[in-house]
Amino acid sequence: MASSCSQALRHHVCKSSRILRIHLQKSWPKEIVIPKKKTWSKEAVLQALASTVKRDPTASDSRFQDDPYLTPKTSSEFKLFSLSQESGRNAAKYFINTYPKYFQKDYAQPHIPCLMPETLEAQIEEASEAALIERIRMRKVKAAVDLYDQLLQAGTSVSLDVTNQLLDLICFCGDHDPTQENVPEQRNEETEDVQDEPQAKKGRASKASGLLKATWKENNNAGRIFALLSEPNTHSYSALIRGMVKYGAYSKAFSTYTDLLNNRLKADVHTFNALIIAAPEVKEKYNEKWELIVDLLKQMAEQKVKPNLLTLNAVLKALRRCGTLGKSQAFPVISEMKALSIETHNHAFPIMLCSAGAPIQGQTDILQEVMNEVSGKSFTAQDPDDAQFFITAMRICLDTKDMEQAYRVHELLGVGENWRLLGNDFQQSIYYARFFSLLCMMENIDVMLKWYRDLVPSVYYPSSNVMRDLLQALDTDNRLDLIPQIWKDIKQLGHANRQNLVEELLTLMAREKHNQEVQESFAECALDIKKIYDTGDRGKVLLSWTAGSLIDLISVLLAAHRRQDAWEMLKLFKTHNRVPSEELLNKFLTCVKEAGEVNQAVELVQISAGFCLPETPKLIQRVQQEFELTEQQRNMLSDLEIQTFNSD
Amino acid sequence: MATSLVRQTKLLSIVSSQLNPAACFRNIHCTAACLKNRAARIREGKGDKSVTYEQAYHPHHIGHRKGWLSQHTSNLQGEDGAAERVVEDVFIRRFMYGTFHGCLADEVVIKRRGNLLVICAVMIQKLLPSKFYFLIGYTEELLSHFYKCPVKIEMQTVEEKVVYKYL
């Protein structure tokens, strides 16, 4: 039987395969095209695996260890931990570079150059061109300049290329060695003895130079070396002009440019970019500035220098300073640049957007156009201001209250490499703060909470202002029952010591009457808040009681029928010199009446009299009417009545 | 003294072989003993010494009740470099012990995945988290440069050393 079954099966298979073959022969073309062999990159498997994994909203940033003790919970902790990790790396780098002989053994095949110790000192000692090139490569400005002087004095000529490289280095670094960021004192000393250049410096520039930037000194090395050159070429002029523009010597830059033209040399695209940036600083009136820019562009066309992306960016940045004229000119500029087939990256637009100050409708239109163009594409950073794109876009969405656009912008962030354009941690927090505020304003509470759970605290640590926005959103949507959860988050984020945030929380809880469970949770939350007020580390007081906060807290406790706790809190009025309000005392009296505590009622009246409240006679009347009093208590009350009557 | 000992050994062996010709040669063992039955074992004491799980179980329990502290592929058939891995491991353990002094709750586990060296450690919450991160950054950077391969630390913290039993 089995054999006949198998035979039948075989027959069936043969038949079906024959049918299949016939079908295939009909549908297949006569020619069989063999596809080209696909070559995969070495990381293809890893990339495919990585595309299956999304961000984990319950974990903190990947640079931290996955342990509750070691996870940062507030934004200050985030900064502290990442900085301490970096400083550990720097400490290790110091040891590696100071004792390189222990790290020379090379296990790695192929060789990994970034894991070898760096040579910090220049190797070649004797005065030669090779030594100069080495010092330029290591960015040792002073040593390079000294060596150059030495070479010239010794009589050896230095080639124009190397001199140009030296000029590049000096002009880029501003004639001092590139110092580390954590040594600001040195920079300040250098800028102290700068002589003021009356034309180049405006008020703003001098303030900035005092703080961060060095400025272009009158007789610095770049100018001197440039003067020593017998035949400066385009590159040398370009280096000098760009250095001058970078460090604020704008009019000098223009005079150098005139020199260049007098020497019948052509300027390159970088020079023109620098000059366009410098143009608004040199002229006063808007139309003069614009005319200068147009003039430069015309010269660029004459000298057959092709403009690039940075040119467009420079023009748009300059137009920012041109006021109303700038706004009208920006679009034609962009369309012309498009005609020249320069890739107008999204980066050009935010600068444009900043320039379009007043007309808000204009801004949304521009943003819409931009988003239509760039959605779904991945970009790389090409201009130093590119990191501002997402922040500016989100600011416009916030100003115009446009939720759709905000979602589109946020989606763009997830495409490809675009997350790199978000900037450093600080800029990231600004972006998310704006996104969150917009969500709080515009969306209903469920969507808001979904985003909240997704982003907080894995990506973003909200500030106390954003938490207040969140509370207001809860209020608007009538979801005040979520307040205890939000309070836990506030405590974890470290905002529990903000006076106005806590007071707003208490006010929201005390305002209305809710059902029993909610009131219970409110009472727990209120007692928790009370702990914050009372205890401080080593006697340090974090928050001070105000009348409003005390009243709110006691109301919340009373609403949950926590009479004992409320009674203890009432004593705090005296200790902190705050006055209770009338309705609070009335509420308390009602609560006491429900419990039937006559003694407490009398004590309440005494407290009220102690504060000399105008409500006291009414309270006395209420107590006399509603309670059953003993003789002693009745006497006490009548005494008080007389007292208050007399004092009025 | 050594030569006299050798001569005595020879004498002894000759005497013993003559006495009992069927017996095999048994010489005096004059090198250091391997002590395989005393390694990695904490002996039972009065009952006041706390031991962790790792310390409580003896080496013959590896694979049955314990895992391996060092995971790499050099002990497989046809793979080489086992001795170098052992030396690296010893260095890494001493380095961790010294850098995170007093913080280690248990032995360090070292895993090798391709080029990557993963050091898994359980620490006591003795230092502030920022100090831990400083030491983590320092260790990762220094060991990467030393061994020319990426080194990652995976750390877990406990409040105090986890005691398995008292011996």
Side-chain angles (χ1 to χ4, degrees):
Chain A
M1 204 214 48
S3 61
S4 68
C5 269
S6 65
Q7 214 167 18
L9 194 64
R10 232 181 303 139
H11 179 68
H12 183 75
V13 166
C14 285
K15 194 167 161 199
S16 53
S17 69
R18 212 178 331 130
I19 296 171
L20 194 64
R21 223 180 312 136
I22 295 167
H23 271 280
L24 280 175
Q25 274 174 349
K26 279 194 199 149
S27 56
W28 257 0
K30 295 293 171 191
E31 281 272 328
I32 296 176
V33 177
I34 301 172
K36 270 201 162 73
K37 179 175 179 180
K38 219 169 185 175
T39 46
W40 297 99
S41 72
K42 290 207 179 88
E43 303 97 30
V45 175
L46 289 174
Q47 279 169 352
L49 285 172
S51 66
T52 62
V53 181
K54 285 205 272 280
R55 190 180 66 83
D56 180 9
T58 58
S60 65
D61 195 72
S62 63
R63 67 186 97 158
F64 300 119
Q65 300 289 326
D66 192 14
D67 182 71
Y69 183 68
L70 296 174
T71 324
K73 293 184 190 61
T74 71
S75 59
S76 49
E77 269 184 19
F78 181 94
K79 204 166 145 188
L80 179 67
F81 294 172
S82 40
L83 285 176
S84 39
Q85 195 162 17
E86 272 311 303
S87 62
R89 284 189 214 279
N90 289 343
K93 275 209 181 68
Y94 168 76
F95 281 115
I96 294 164
N97 293 333
T98 322
Y99 303 102
K101 63 179 178 190
Y102 299 115
F103 297 91
Q104 298 290 357
K105 187 158 181 198
D106 195 7
Y107 300 98
Q109 283 165 0
H111 178 67
I112 304 175
C114 70
L115 289 179
M116 301 297 287
E118 285 170 11
T119 42
L120 291 176
E121 298 301 322
Q123 303 284 57
I124 312 176
E125 283 305 321
E126 82 274 343
S128 69
E129 214 167 289
L132 183 59
I133 293 176
E134 198 189 355
R135 277 164 185 72
I136 292 173
R137 200 174 36 84
M138 291 176 125
R139 309 281 184 263
K140 290 182 183 293
V141 178
K142 276 201 174 40
V145 170
D146 289 338
L147 189 62
Y148 182 77
D149 290 333
Q150 245 183 332
L151 283 174
L152 280 189
Q153 276 176 3
T156 46
S157 68
V158 187
S159 69
L160 190 58
D161 264 344
V162 180
T163 322
N164 280 342
Q165 283 182 26
L166 180 63
L167 271 179
D168 273 338
L169 179 69
I170 300 175
C171 294
F172 184 77
C173 297
D175 204 19
H176 55 263
D177 275 314
T179 50
Q180 312 251 338
E181 274 108 43
N182 50 2
V183 197
E185 301 84 25
Q186 283 183 0
R187 282 195 157 192
N188 279 338
E189 279 168 28
E190 282 197 42
T191 57
E192 286 315 324
D193 34 294
V194 164
Q195 290 138 355
D196 276 21
E197 290 190 18
Q199 309 119 324
K201 274 209 199 140
K202 298 202 172 92
R204 193 173 43 87
S206 60
K207 226 194 298 169
S209 70
L211 290 171
L212 287 174
K213 267 173 40 164
T215 51
W216 190 260
K217 294 189 213 140
E218 276 286 349
N219 307 313
N220 64 358
N221 289 320
R224 185 171 57 86
I225 293 178
F226 185 77
L228 288 172
L229 278 176
S230 52
E231 277 187 14
N233 69 351
T234 310
H235 194 119
S236 348
Y237 271 108
S238 161
L240 198 63
I241 292 177
R242 286 165 81 186
M244 285 175 177
V245 170
K246 182 172 176 179
Y247 287 101
Y250 301 115
S251 41
K252 267 182 92 75
F254 271 99
S255 45
T256 319
Y257 177 63
T258 340
D259 278 342
L260 176 143
L261 290 177
N262 287 343
N263 283 351
R264 296 195 216 311
L265 286 172
K266 287 199 191 316
D268 63 356
V269 67
H270 304 292
T271 321
F272 277 112
N273 290 346
L275 286 173
I276 292 173
I277 294 177
E281 311 279 350
V282 193
K283 294 272 190 265
E284 289 295 334
K285 290 216 192 107
Y286 291 156
N287 51 356
E288 278 177 27
K289 292 186 196 184
W290 175 239
E291 273 168 27
L292 185 55
I293 296 175
V294 171
D295 196 33
L296 281 168
L297 289 171
K298 281 204 189 108
Q299 288 182 18
M300 211 165 143
E302 270 173 28
Q303 297 185 19
K304 303 219 186 354
V305 177
K306 209 166 169 356
N308 67 358
L309 177 67
L310 293 171
T311 320
L312 173 64
N313 284 355
V315 173
L316 290 175
K317 274 183 213 163
L319 281 176
R320 250 158 114 189
R321 317 281 312 285
C322 289
T324 42
L325 191 62
K327 287 175 215 157
S328 54
Q329 295 296 340
F331 268 116
V333 166
I334 296 180
S335 32
E336 270 206 40
M337 290 283 181
K338 264 199 192 151
L340 286 170
S341 70
I342 298 171
E343 278 180 54
T344 47
H345 274 236
N346 59 332
H347 323 132
F349 292 92
I351 306 156
M352 163 79 242
L353 301 171
C354 299
S355 75
I360 291 192
Q361 191 52 39
Q363 282 182 13
T364 39
D365 289 339
I366 296 165
L367 185 59
Q368 201 141 20
E369 266 184 52
V370 171
M371 292 311 298
N372 285 340
E373 251 195 61
V374 307
S375 53
K377 295 191 207 155
S378 178
F379 294 96
T380 51
Q382 286 186 5
D383 186 277
D385 279 336
D386 284 349
Q388 304 292 326
F389 171 67
F390 280 105
I391 298 179
T392 324
M394 196 47 80
R395 178 177 64 80
I396 293 174
C397 292
L398 184 61
D399 287 338
T400 58
K401 309 219 186 330
D402 194 346
M403 204 61 233
E404 281 300 317
Q405 291 288 21
Y407 281 137
R408 285 180 82 183
V409 172
H410 195 71
E411 223 181 280
L412 183 62
L413 197 57
V415 175
E417 298 280 308
N418 288 348
W419 58 271
R420 293 182 199 273
L421 288 176
L422 195 52
N424 59 12
D425 298 323
F426 180 61
Q427 287 164 327
Q428 200 179 5
S429 65
I430 296 176
Y431 171 82
Y432 279 113
R434 290 181 180 158
F435 187 47
F436 250 89
S437 311
L438 188 59
L439 278 174
C440 288
M441 263 196 280
M442 299 297 296
E443 287 284 355
N444 69 353
I445 197 65
D446 293 319
V447 175
M448 168 69 222
L449 283 175
K450 180 182 79 82
W451 279 106
Y452 181 75
R453 282 196 198 96
D454 192 39
L455 293 174
V456 176
S458 51
V459 170
Y460 171 55
Y461 299 95
S463 63
S464 56
N465 294 335
V466 176
M467 294 312 285
R468 286 182 75 181
D469 287 342
L470 180 61
L471 285 175
Q472 276 172 10
L474 286 179
D475 192 18
T476 325
D477 267 325
N478 229 1
R479 289 295 305 273
L480 292 175
D481 53 313
L482 292 171
I483 284 187
Q485 287 178 24
I486 304 292
W487 166 245
K488 275 205 208 91
D489 288 339
I490 291 176
K491 254 201 314 183
Q492 200 190 39
L493 288 167
H495 294 314
N497 54 357
R498 306 254 184 230
Q499 186 97 6
N500 41 8
L501 185 61
V502 178
E503 281 177 13
E504 189 160 329
L505 203 71
L506 284 171
T507 323
L508 279 175
M509 280 201 290
R511 218 174 43 184
E512 290 152 5
K513 193 118 176 77
H514 301 267
N515 65 9
Q516 192 55 30
E517 294 175 3
V518 178
Q519 288 297 152
E520 272 300 314
S521 59
F522 278 8
E524 294 292 329
C525 189
L527 285 173
D528 208 23
I529 296 178
K530 175 169 169 267
K531 275 194 222 122
I532 303 281
Y533 270 98
D534 288 337
T535 60
D537 294 339
R538 304 172 206 114
K540 193 172 54 162
V541 174
L542 295 167
L543 292 170
S544 57
W545 287 109
T546 64
S549 54
L550 269 177
I551 291 170
D552 289 328
L553 224 162
I554 298 180
S555 323
V556 172
L557 288 172
L558 283 178
H561 305 293
R562 302 270 184 112
R563 210 173 25 89
Q564 202 50 41
D565 297 316
W567 188 250
E568 281 163 37
M569 297 235 44
L570 211 54
K571 306 214 174 63
L572 282 175
F573 273 111
K574 200 81 187 188
T575 40
H576 291 269
N577 290 331
R578 303 270 179 262
V579 179
S581 74
E582 304 162 0
E583 49 179 287
L584 178 69
L585 292 173
N586 272 329
K587 248 193 262 182
F588 217 120
L589 200 58
T590 329
C591 201
V592 168
K593 182 164 155 255
E594 278 170 26
E597 285 277 334
V598 184
N599 291 333
Q600 274 199 345
V602 176
E603 274 184 53
L604 200 67
V605 176
Q606 280 174 333
I607 290 173
S608 163
F611 279 110
C612 300
L613 290 177
E615 180 74 358
T616 321
K618 290 198 205 110
L619 272 178
I620 296 174
Q621 268 183 351
R622 252 189 88 182
V623 173
Q624 283 173 336
Q625 281 166 1
E626 293 169 14
F627 286 84
E628 287 177 19
L629 300 163
T630 64
E631 195 57 44
Q632 199 187 13
Q633 286 167 338
R634 221 183 294 267
N635 287 340
M636 220 184 329
L637 279 177
S638 37
D639 282 338
L640 277 173
E641 211 173 345
I642 298 168
Q643 257 181 14
T644 51
F645 190 67
N646 284 342
S647 63
D648 276 342
Chain B
M1 198 211 111
T3 43
S4 68
L5 199 62
V6 167
R7 220 184 309 131
Q8 282 180 15
T9 318
K10 277 214 178 103
L11 210 62
L12 203 59
S13 62
I14 293 167
V15 166
S16 65
S17 64
Q18 281 187 344
L19 282 175
N20 196 355
C24 52
F25 272 100
R26 294 178 95 199
N27 301 323
I28 289 183
H29 195 173
C30 43
T31 55
C34 198
L35 286 182
K36 281 188 250 186
N37 34 350
R38 293 198 73 93
R41 282 158 218 264
I42 297 187
R43 299 274 152 175
E44 205 173 303
K46 286 203 186 61
D48 56 350
K49 193 164 41 175
S50 62
V51 286
T52 61
Y53 187 93
E54 188 71 42
Q55 292 164 332
Y57 284 105
H58 298 159
H60 63 269
H61 288 127
I62 292 176
H64 303 270
R65 300 184 200 179
K66 287 202 316 184
W68 280 265
L69 287 179
S70 171
Q71 296 172 8
H72 54 84
T73 55
S74 345
N75 285 330
L76 297 175
Q77 164 89 339
E79 301 285 339
D80 55 355
E84 285 88 359
R85 302 290 93 76
V86 168
V87 173
E88 284 170 19
D89 282 359
V90 170
F91 179 81
I92 291 172
R93 281 175 212 285
R94 281 180 194 239
F95 188 86
M96 293 297 287
Y97 181 72
T99 314
F100 294 90
H101 195 77
C103 296
L104 278 177
D106 208 344
E107 294 284 339
V108 169
V109 172
I110 301 175
K111 304 183 191 182
R112 286 177 177 79
R113 295 175 198 150
N115 195 14
L116 179 64
L117 188 65
V118 182
I119 302 175
C120 310
V122 183
M123 300 279 172
I124 305 172
Q125 289 170 3
K126 195 172 145 186
L127 300 173
L128 288 175
S130 52
K131 296 201 202 285
F132 268 125
Y133 276 111
F134 178 87
L135 291 175
I136 288 172
Y138 166 78
T139 314
E140 283 186 357
E141 191 75 13
L142 201 79
L143 289 179
S144 306
H145 281 255
F146 194 58
Y147 285 123
K148 309 290 180 239
C149 63
V151 173
K152 293 255 183 310
I153 291 188
E154 284 175 13
M155 190 182 280
Q156 193 194 336
T157 57
V158 285
E159 276 178 35
E160 28 179 72
K161 231 177 184 176
V162 183
V163 175
Y164 180 66
K165 63 184 186 186
Y166 289 91
L167 289 178

